[in-house]
Amino acid sequence: MSVFRISVYDGNRVFQCQIGNPSKLNVTVRHNNKGTMTMVLPLGHPRAQSLLAEKARVKVMFRGEHLISGPVTNAELKTDGGTGTLTVTVEDDFRILADVLGWQAPTAAISSQGTAEYKVYKGNAETILKNWFTDNAVNRLAISGLTVAPNQNRGATIPGGVPFRMHPGMDQLLPAVENAGLGITVKQAGSSLVLDVYQPTVYPRSLSVKGRTLKSVTMTRSRPQASRAVVGGAGEGKDRYFRVVTDTAREALYGFCGEVFVNAAHTGSDYVALVKDTADANQDLKEANVELKEADRALDAAKLAQTNADMAFDLAQNSGNTSAASKAQTNLFSANSKVTSRTTDYNAALADRNAKQTAYNTLNGQLPAALTAYQAAMDEEGQKALTENGITNGVSITLAESGIFRYGPGGFHVGDRVPVKVTDDITVTEVIRECTIQWVSPEYAVVSPVVGERTNEPERITAKRLQALARGQRNQEKR
């Protein structure tokens, strides 16, 4: 029985046919990255036309388990007039995470995106991912057949949450979701595409040449590039907030001090807004205190005038001058009325001052916790940078034919951590970043996992750096 099942679908994910015996098939699955597949068929293969159809899709099962699904993104025909080949390339449906932007106001029209600076998703990693995906891919874009698996609240809480301002999903969600202990998948199930997460495990046995699970091992290691991350938060010019995250153990171990700058201007929008609101409330309180003092002085003046008018009325009555007494009485009535009016004004000013005092106290009381959350979010950005610039281990392994360590059900998967015993004294436990499964026959495949990050391949290093630069540029453009 074949370990592969290769199925072709149309753009609506309706089954068309199966490919039973390709000339070549290479599938590379990746942990938290887009997988790819290349398949070669004879040009006269009866199923070739299905692969050349617009919006054609391919799904591959391996040992009864989903391996890859996605659209045919490239097709190449080669012929000498008699014979020829068709080569197709498929990109995994994980690609949708790079194709969908996270709007800052996903339920509003494009003309109303100015109503919010950022949309910050908070909670555990699975909740953040699925809420973002639901808001932007399922609801806003309404991509046909796209669904989200039920949320099981897996993964650690991401400090400060994940902010979006027209960022591609992959730019913001990774490596935050991975650091929280999860992997992401988008798989074709029937006629639907389902986003879900998985929790990688640690493979229970060490792999080694001596243990006959490996034919050979090549290990590479690069020293860290930075020990301190200077994090620039929200604000501009003199108002910008900075923090430094230092790995003191790294500095002591390697005897160096190197800095890297992290632009985290997207963090702290809630804190900055709270600081502004608190300052505005304080100004309102100051103005209310001035108005209260003015009302108090006016009331005192009215009371003094009332006292004087009362004394004048008594004198006029005692003089026996009826006309003067009548006039003094009128003045007294007016003074009494003025006191009543000024008392009302004073009470209103006092109530307003008390309300503004309460508003200021409430906002000011929220500042310490908001600052702590802001600092935690900045520290998280700094820690990400230190992780990216830390020690990099790479292990290239060639599996033995024993079948003890194999990909698929009951074996390992990308994302799992595997201990590799390089020598009797050196064991490296790293993540299986990717795995290439190569068709040999219907019953047999060559499996080539990549463990950790390869540091001896310049093209990989260059590509990773270019991706980081592009991500940084995109982040700048969103401001």
Side-chain angles (χ1 to χ4, degrees), residues 92-141:
D92 189 75
D93 287 315
F94 185 94
R95 69 200 299 269
I96 198 170
L97 293 173
D99 294 342
V100 176
L101 302 179
W103 285 23
Q104 56 267 37
T107 60
I110 189 66
S111 58
S112 300
Q113 291 305 299
T115 58
E117 185 175 7
Y118 285 94
K119 170 71 173 178
V120 181
Y121 292 88
K122 297 183 178 181
N124 60 68
E126 183 174 4
T127 296
I128 289 174
L129 167 68
K130 291 184 174 179
N131 285 347
W132 169 81
F133 197 77
T134 300
D135 284 350
N136 290 277
V138 178
N139 294 339
R140 181 173 61 77
L141 292 178

Side-chain angles (χ1 to χ4, degrees), residues 79-90:
T79 180
D80 57 9
T83 60
T85 59
L86 167 64
T87 302
V88 295
T89 301
V90 173

Side-chain angles (χ1 to χ4, degrees), residues 290-305:
V290 170
E291 292 174 1
L292 179 61
K293 287 180 180 179
E294 291 175 352
D296 188 41
R297 284 196 294 268
L299 177 58
D300 285 345
K303 287 180 177 179
L304 179 60

Side-chain angles (χ1 to χ4, degrees), residues 84-397:
T85 59
L86 167 64
T87 302
V88 295
T89 301
V90 173
E91 291 187 354
D92 189 75
D93 287 315
F94 185 94
R95 69 200 299 269
I96 198 170
L97 293 173
D99 294 342
V100 176
L101 302 179
W103 285 23
Q104 56 267 37
T107 60
I110 189 66
S111 58
S112 300
Q113 291 305 299
T115 58
E117 185 175 7
Y118 285 94
K119 170 71 173 178
V120 181
Y121 292 88
K122 297 183 178 181
N124 60 68
E126 183 174 4
T127 296
I128 289 174
L129 167 68
K130 291 184 174 179
N131 285 347
W132 169 81
F133 197 77
T134 300
D135 284 350
N136 290 277
V138 178
N139 294 339
R140 181 173 61 77
L141 292 178
I143 298 174
S144 176
L146 194 61
T147 62
V148 177
N151 183 11
Q152 299 180 42
N153 295 302
R154 288 167 287 185
T157 297
I158 297 177
V162 178
F164 282 91
R165 181 180 173 85
M166 298 301 179
H167 296 89
M170 281 186 65
D171 281 8
Q172 299 298 90
L173 292 166
L174 297 172
V177 171
E178 180 172 331
N179 290 342
L182 298 181
I184 307 171
T185 61
V186 182
K187 299 179 180 179
Q188 179 177 332
S191 60
S192 298
L193 291 180
V194 183
L195 174 124
D196 205 356
V197 300
Y198 59 93
Q199 292 178 296
T201 61
V202 177
Y203 194 72
R205 299 178 55 183
S206 295
L207 307 182
S208 66
V209 175
K210 282 188 174 181
R212 297 183 180 180
T213 50
L214 303 177
K215 285 184 177 180
S216 63
V217 179
T218 301
M219 174 183 167
T220 60
R221 170 175 287 185
S222 65
R223 63 172 280 151
Q225 302 298 308
S227 63
R228 302 186 182 194
V230 179
V231 187
E236 296 182 0
K238 295 184 296 181
D239 294 329
R240 193 165 195 189
Y241 189 69
F242 292 91
R243 280 179 70 79
V244 177
V245 179
T246 303
D247 189 332
T248 53
R250 183 180 295 180
E251 291 185 350
L253 180 62
Y254 289 91
F256 88 112
C257 177
E259 293 179 318
V260 61
F261 178 75
V262 182
N263 179 17
H266 61 277
T267 62
S269 57
D270 291 344
Y271 175 74
V272 171
L274 181 60
V275 169
K276 182 180 182 303
D277 290 344
T278 304
D280 290 344
N282 189 39
Q283 182 60 36
D284 290 343
L285 177 59
K286 289 178 180 179
E287 293 174 359
N289 277 323
V290 170
E291 292 174 1
L292 179 61
K293 287 180 180 179
E294 291 175 352
D296 188 41
R297 284 196 294 268
L299 177 58
D300 285 345
K303 287 180 177 179
L304 179 60
Q306 180 190 47
T307 299
N308 291 337
D310 188 48
M311 291 173 60
F313 177 61
D314 287 343
L315 288 173
Q317 279 187 319
N318 292 334
S319 68
N321 187 332
T322 305
S323 175
S326 177
K327 184 176 180 181
Q329 186 179 39
T330 300
N331 291 339
L332 179 57
F333 286 159
S334 177
N336 289 341
S337 176
K338 185 65 67 74
V339 168
T340 301
S341 176
R342 291 292 183 261
T343 300
T344 300
D345 292 344
Y346 173 81
N347 289 337
L350 179 62
D352 182 59
R353 194 285 306 271
N354 289 342
K356 286 182 168 58
Q357 181 74 63
T358 299
Y360 169 74
N361 290 344
T362 299
L363 293 172
N364 192 55
Q366 294 172 358
L367 281 176
L371 178 59
T372 299
Y374 181 22
Q375 291 172 336
M378 292 182 70
D379 290 350
E380 176 73 9
E381 294 297 318
Q383 192 57 54
K384 288 178 188 176
L386 290 180
T387 300
E388 290 174 359
N389 288 275
I391 303 168
T392 305
N393 291 320
V395 182
S396 178
I397 61 178

